[in-house]
């Protein structure tokens, strides 16, 4: 029998791999934020602040108190996660609320009294934890009480003045202008890091943008809202840009020391609330002091 050879067929070429469309999350911007989420959250927070100021301005104290409480919890959590520091949470939380609210009827005296009593409460509360780490934990508790609610209480002092709405708006417009000017200039022109080991994304070009925007905003707000002089507005703007930058660097140092990326994850595009309060808290202190000097209430 004669067999018929099978038909010779060449092996088929492998099909070209199909490259799937990129459906993953959008890469963060050059400045490291999810920009749409950051803008959306910023607009919502700004709207809440404006509504409180333009309706019943003392409602703004409630926003300050809530922000101080959330910021305190976030900082306490970061200290525990990063360094196993046991802050006395309840004395700091309760004492922090006392600082914010007592600044309304009693001014700086009420703030100071609440702060001192908070320190005493932290010292006593920590007895329960024994000897080990006592000094570390009490020191961190005092730092938390000063850094978050005490600094935030200066915003209460701003809003309770007769022209408190204008003072708070000057303060907030300056900080937002500084942040926005620095962000835009840093993204477009940033080449020279300001402090590579602390905050690699912060550049001298961004700082120049912050300073330019801050001085312009300071001159306009102080002259138009508070009937101050142009040079007072310029000094006010420059001072707030500097202290807001310092506040941002301080929080970056704390996070790097603790080994955490963000203080929390409450705000999409921003991280935790403390990651937004870092510049506002020290700026509230300087705003109150300078505006009291330039245009006393």
């Amino acid at each position: 029998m004669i067999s018929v050879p099978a038909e010779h067929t060449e092996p088929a070429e492998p099909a070209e791999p199909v490259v799937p469309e990129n459906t993953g999350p959008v890469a963060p911007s050059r400045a490291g934020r999810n920009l749409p989420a950051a803008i959306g959250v910023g607009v919502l927070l700004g709207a809440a602040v404006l509504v409180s100021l333009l309706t019943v301005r003392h409602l703004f104290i409630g926003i300050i108190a809530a922000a101080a409480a959330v910021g305190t919890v976030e900082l306490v959590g970061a200290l525990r996660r990063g360094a196993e520091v046991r802050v006395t949470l309840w004395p700091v939380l309760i004492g922090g609320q006392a600082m914010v609210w007592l600044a309304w009827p009693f001014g700086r005296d009420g703030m100071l009294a609440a702060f001192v009593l908070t320190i005493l409460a932290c010292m006593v509360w920590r007895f329960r934890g024994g000897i080990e780490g006592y000094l570390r934990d009490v020191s961190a508790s005092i730092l938390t009480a000063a850094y978050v609610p005490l600094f935030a209480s200066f915003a209460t002092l701003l809003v309770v003045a007769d022209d408190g709405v204008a003072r708070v708006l000057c303060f907030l417009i300056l900080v937002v202008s500084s942040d926005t000017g620095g962000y835009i200039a840093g993204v477009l022109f940033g080449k020279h890091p300001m402090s590579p080991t602390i905050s690699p994304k912060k550049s001298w070009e961004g700082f120049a943008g912050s300073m330019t925007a801050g001085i312009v905003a300071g001159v306009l707000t102080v002259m138009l809202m508070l009937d101050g002089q142009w040079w007072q507005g310029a000094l006010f703007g420059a001072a707030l840009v500097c202290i807001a930058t310092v506040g941002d660097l301080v929080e970056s140092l704390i996070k790097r020391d603790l080994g955490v990326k963000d203080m929390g994850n409450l705000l999409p595009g921003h991280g935790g609330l403390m990651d937004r309060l870092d510049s506002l808290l020290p700026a509230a202190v300087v705003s109150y002091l300078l505006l009291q000097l330039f245009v006393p209430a």
Side-chain angles (χ1 to χ4, degrees):
M1 177 181 289
I2 301 175
S3 63
V4 180
E7 183 179 356
H8 176 71
T9 58
E10 296 183 359
E13 296 182 0
E16 294 185 3
V18 178
V19 180
E21 295 183 2
N22 183 11
T23 58
V26 178
S29 68
R30 183 178 169 186
R33 296 184 190 177
N34 181 337
L35 191 56
I39 292 175
V41 169
V43 168
L44 289 175
L45 293 176
V49 169
L50 285 176
V51 167
S52 67
L53 290 174
L54 299 179
T55 52
V56 180
R57 62 188 168 99
H58 290 86
L59 290 175
F60 182 64
I61 302 175
I63 294 178
I64 298 170
V70 174
T72 297
V73 171
E74 288 184 345
L75 180 56
V76 169
L79 287 168
R80 180 177 288 275
R81 294 193 310 272
E84 296 184 359
V85 174
R86 294 176 290 174
V87 171
T88 55
L89 177 60
W90 286 110
V92 174
L93 269 180
I94 296 171
Q97 293 301 298
M99 292 176 220
V100 171
W101 289 103
L102 290 179
W104 176 3
F106 302 113
R108 287 173 293 184
D109 291 342
M111 274 171 41
L112 180 59
F115 179 59
V116 171
L117 290 175
T118 300
I119 293 174
L120 292 174
C122 291
M123 290 177 174
V124 174
W125 189 276
R126 183 53 183 79
F127 285 175
R128 302 163 49 186
I131 298 173
E132 184 178 356
Y134 178 84
L135 179 60
R136 176 200 63 192
D137 294 344
V138 170
S139 299
S141 300
I142 296 171
L143 171 64
T144 302
Y147 183 32
V148 186
L150 182 64
F151 283 11
S153 300
F154 282 87
T156 299
L157 295 179
L158 284 171
V159 78
V160 296
D162 292 338
D163 56 352
V165 172
R167 290 174 182 269
V168 172
L169 287 176
C170 285
F171 152 57
L172 293 177
I173 289 171
L174 257 294
V175 175
V176 171
S177 297
S178 172
D179 191 38
T180 304
Y183 177 79
I184 293 173
V187 169
L188 295 179
F189 310 111
K191 293 182 179 178
H192 301 88
M194 177 181 287
S195 182
T197 58
I198 300 175
S199 184
K201 294 173 183 175
K202 191 173 291 297
S203 66
W204 285 109
E205 291 82 2
F207 180 74
S210 291
M211 186 62 71
T212 302
I215 290 176
V216 171
V219 171
L220 292 176
T221 54
V222 170
M223 289 182 64
L224 298 177
M225 294 184 180
L226 297 174
D227 295 325
Q229 302 297 316
W230 70 267
W231 60 269
Q232 294 173 330
L235 289 177
F236 179 58
L240 253 65
V241 169
C242 290
I243 197 63
T245 303
V246 168
D248 188 33
L249 291 174
V250 166
E251 201 218 17
S252 294
L253 269 173
I254 293 173
K255 290 191 292 187
R256 287 189 176 276
D257 188 23
L258 295 176
V260 299
K261 182 179 183 296
D262 292 315
M263 289 292 185
N265 56 9
L266 179 65
L267 305 177
H270 292 269
L273 185 61
M274 268 302 295
D275 296 296
R276 293 298 91 209
L277 294 177
D278 54 1
S279 56
L280 288 167
L281 290 169
V285 179
V286 174
S287 294
Y288 171 76
L289 296 175
L290 284 182
L291 291 180
Q292 280 292 100
L293 176 65
F294 291 154
V295 282

